[in-house]
Amino acid sequence: MSRATSIPQPAGADQPPNEAEAQSPSVRIIDARTAIDELIFAEDPWYALPLERQRELSDALIRQALREHLERCPSYRDYYARSGAAEPGAVALADIPLVSTRVFKFADLRSVEAHEVERWYRSSGTSGQPSRVPRDRASLERMVGSVHGSVGLLADWDEDEVAVINLGPGREHVEDVWFQYVMSLIEALYRSESRVPRDEAALDEIIGLAQSLLDDYEHLIVVGPPFHVLDLCEHMQRRGVELQAGEGATILTAGGWKRFGGRAIPKQEFRAVVARQFGLRGEGQVRDVFNQVELNTVLFECEAHEKHVPPWVHVAARDPETLQPVPEGEEGMLSYLDASCSAYPCFIVTEDVGVVRRGRCACGREGTRVDVLRRLESRAAKGCALKMGQIHANG
Amino acid sequence: MPTDEKAKSKLPSAVSTEESVLRLEDGRQIVIWHSRPQSEEPVRGTVLLAPGFCARMYSLAAMAAYLCANGFAVYRYDPLDHRGPSSGELADFTMTTGRYSMDQVLDWLARERGVESLGVIATSLSARIAYRVASERDNVAYLVTAVGVTHLRATLERVFGVDHMASPPEQLPETVVFEERHHIRTLGFATDAHELGWNPAETTRAELDRASVPIVAFIARDDDWVLESEVEEALDLANHPERRMCKLEGSGHNLAKNPRIAQAMLRELTGAVMALETGGEWLRAGLPPSFPAIEREPTFEMLTAQVIAERRRSVR
């Protein structure tokens, strides 16, 4: 074995069994339940829960995560103490001290022992110094769970029915870039082919592959960053190719436009182009997902193109100067409290501007949705984020 | 040029796996996977994993990885008339086909690989088959079951919502649908289950009364298909100190659904196999109060690499 972890403790029997069972040498009770895992990996999807229940779960799970990170992460504990926030049991979710995503560019923040870190993942680094974020096994499994548990927002597919074309490198070649790593994990869920559309020959091959998989499978998912999807559509247009996917395909974008921001087109126009080139039944089959290296949960769009936020994540749009939440529906700096992450305190304020809405979505589901609009541009606001990072680093 | 990611390099995984094909006299074939530890240390023992109904060999990738990481050689197979690469269609599966497949693989292991004695780990429906096999063959040294069926008829009624076994043959629907997708022909399955005594809990109990091998049975306390009480009744723990039930809190029939519970189960199961492999008469006098802690645990990276590699092997 090259790198298997050592086992400090045998598992199980975390909870006392009932008396009769405890006395029986023939019975062993194994209780590995945790509230967060019971929700993420529940049989019934989280988005079917009523809004009030989602709020209750969110509150309880984030407080539990807060207690755990305060216990295990000394630097966050110091930061929390200096922030003047109320005791963990009494603090409002909106007042939990946030870590600027800039902190991850220069500090190794973690709540687990070094040997528990599976890998340090980094951002793609399109804007200077990349962030570095640790993840342990539980965090990674929950990230995958956040994907698996939200795929139902797209459709209810059996793994045998679906093939995926990942417009990016395969599992062997992703190394530690988080976006590519997450995309490559789709192969653990569905039969997948990974192709980097780096030139015309590659794009031709991808078109052929898409046609072949459409013939062989009930459903094809093409997943990639929007600029690669647009490259593919434009290439199809040049070649005079219009696929006839009908209801048999979903095109999933992720990762944003990054350094290709100059090519970005409005979302509706993008969906129309993609739907036309793939011959989709409707633009509802073109969806986007959101994640960033500092966030452990992947957020999926519903058919109304709203990104639903599962109840183990609390999202808020905040005033960039005061960091206080702005009224619902108003633009602000996005912050996340993500209880699914055990490796580091995933209580982050980002440099994205967005809008948060709660209540019933046009798709009919209740819950919280977030619309990520653009990167923060104001110098003052960036200064605010930077200052937070410095406070943390000095701590 | 486009990059064929599959062709370029091999995924680093926890184990190395080879495929063998067992060709039967009637022309059909059973596909067998053999996974070995990557370390140079001597193999601690050999186990055979039998997948649950409708499950494929790669669904047992994590179990194989845990066992290999702790020194075991692991064989898996896809039964005839099942969902994987062996001959036949799932629609035609019967319990006796499952029994025949397991027997053929055990014979092949003895004949071709010199495995005279081994442990069998069987999941769900295949556990019902393994209970019979363990009661009739002497090369099964120990048995570990996970959410193992003991009362077939009752389990099927819970799965399908109807007791089809109570229907006369002429009133059976041609097929039933398992997990909303898989059509199973009823007449062959029901006839076989009636005629060869697979249905009642009493036959399982009788077979287990004849079995003398140590048994560790994992059950899920929220299992809607296999009830704790049925397994307790079949195992007759009070009269068999060489048997143990491990009860998993918070899990349903799908033990892989929640990875925290799956991890705890795999640790315990691997520890159980380590204890059982030591063999000897002392095990018949009673299993140890607790199983040893496992020595090595595959990482998330290893497990996902293993799953992806095995999925690719299956698609190939």
Side-chain angles (χ1 to χ4, degrees), chain A residues 37 40-41 136-147 296, chain B residues 66 258-260 263 300 303:
Chain A
D37 291 301
I40 294 176
F41 302 102
D136 62 342
R137 177 170 173 166
S139 303
L140 288 165
E141 286 171 338
R142 290 168 186 163
M143 181 277 292
V144 174
S146 79
V147 173
N296 201 52
Chain B
Y66 268 75
N258 181 330
R260 291 282 74 63
Q263 183 181 26
F300 177 86
L303 292 172

Side-chain angles (χ1 to χ4, degrees), chain B residues 236-258:
Chain B
D236 186 22
L237 294 171
N239 292 306
H240 288 276
E242 79 285 12
R243 296 177 184 174
R244 174 164 302 156
M245 275 181 81
C246 297
K247 302 182 177 184
L248 295 157
E249 296 280 8
S251 179
H253 195 74
N254 179 2
L255 294 173
K257 179 80 180 163
N258 181 330

Side-chain angles (χ1 to χ4, degrees), chain A residues 1-5 7 10-11 21 25-33 37-38 41-43 118-119 121 137-138 140-141 144 156-161 169-173 181 185 187-191 193-195 198-199 201-202 205, chain B residues 1-3 5-6 8-11 14 38-39 56 58 66 69 83 181 218 221 228 237 243-250 257-261 263-264 267-268 293-305 307-308 311-312 315:
Chain A
M1 297 296 302
S2 55
R3 191 179 70 92
T5 54
I7 307 302
E21 285 173 330
S26 302
V27 174
R28 180 161 163 81
I29 307 293
I30 299 172
D31 192 349
R33 291 175 294 176
D37 291 301
E38 291 208 311
F41 302 102
E43 291 290 340
E118 287 263 350
R119 194 185 273 195
Y121 299 89
R137 177 170 173 166
L140 288 165
E141 286 171 338
V144 174
D156 178 23
W157 293 307
D158 180 74
E159 63 170 285
D160 284 347
E161 298 169 355
R171 182 70 159 72
E172 301 90 332
H173 306 285
Y181 180 81
L185 284 179
E187 196 174 354
L189 305 176
Y190 300 111
R191 183 261 161 100
E193 299 283 344
S194 294
R195 299 288 188 278
R198 53 172 66 93
D199 56 25
E205 193 204 357
Chain B
M1 287 298 292
T3 307
E5 303 296 345
K6 282 185 184 176
K8 276 193 90 171
S9 67
K10 202 177 163 191
L11 286 169
Q38 290 193 326
S39 74
R56 284 175 292 206
Y58 70 72
Y66 268 75
R83 199 178 174 196
R181 286 180 170 89
F218 287 82
R221 298 199 96 164
E228 192 174 325
L237 294 171
R243 296 177 184 174
R244 174 164 302 156
M245 275 181 81
C246 297
K247 302 182 177 184
L248 295 157
E249 296 280 8
K257 179 80 180 163
N258 181 330
R260 291 282 74 63
I261 294 171
Q263 183 181 26
R267 287 174 170 179
E268 186 75 6
I294 64 174
E295 292 164 5
R296 284 178 290 269
E297 180 159 50
T299 63
F300 177 86
E301 289 284 303
M302 288 173 170
L303 292 172
T304 51
V307 167
I308 289 172
R311 181 185 284 280
R312 288 179 184 179
V315 169

Side-chain angles (χ1 to χ4, degrees), chain A residues 273-313:
Chain A
V273 167
V274 175
R276 186 174 62 246
Q277 289 307 136
F278 278 86
L280 303 178
R281 176 68 61 87
E283 292 174 17
Q285 292 163 248
V286 185
R287 307 282 185 91
D288 189 50
V289 299
F290 177 78
N291 182 251
Q292 59 188 83
V293 67
E294 302 89 351
L295 180 65
N296 201 52
T297 295
V298 181
L299 309 178
F300 277 65
E301 260 186 19
C302 67
E303 53 270 42
H305 300 291
E306 297 254 10
K307 290 188 179 72
H308 287 244
V309 181
W312 58 87
V313 179

Side-chain angles (χ1 to χ4, degrees), chain B residues 34 43 45-46 73 75 105-118 139 277:
Chain B
H34 176 203
V43 169
T46 300
Y75 287 87
V105 173
L106 289 168
D107 290 345
W108 178 86
L109 282 167
R111 189 175 63 243
E112 302 291 333
R113 300 296 168 103
V115 179
E116 297 294 342
S117 174
L118 79 173
N139 62 341
E277 188 61 35

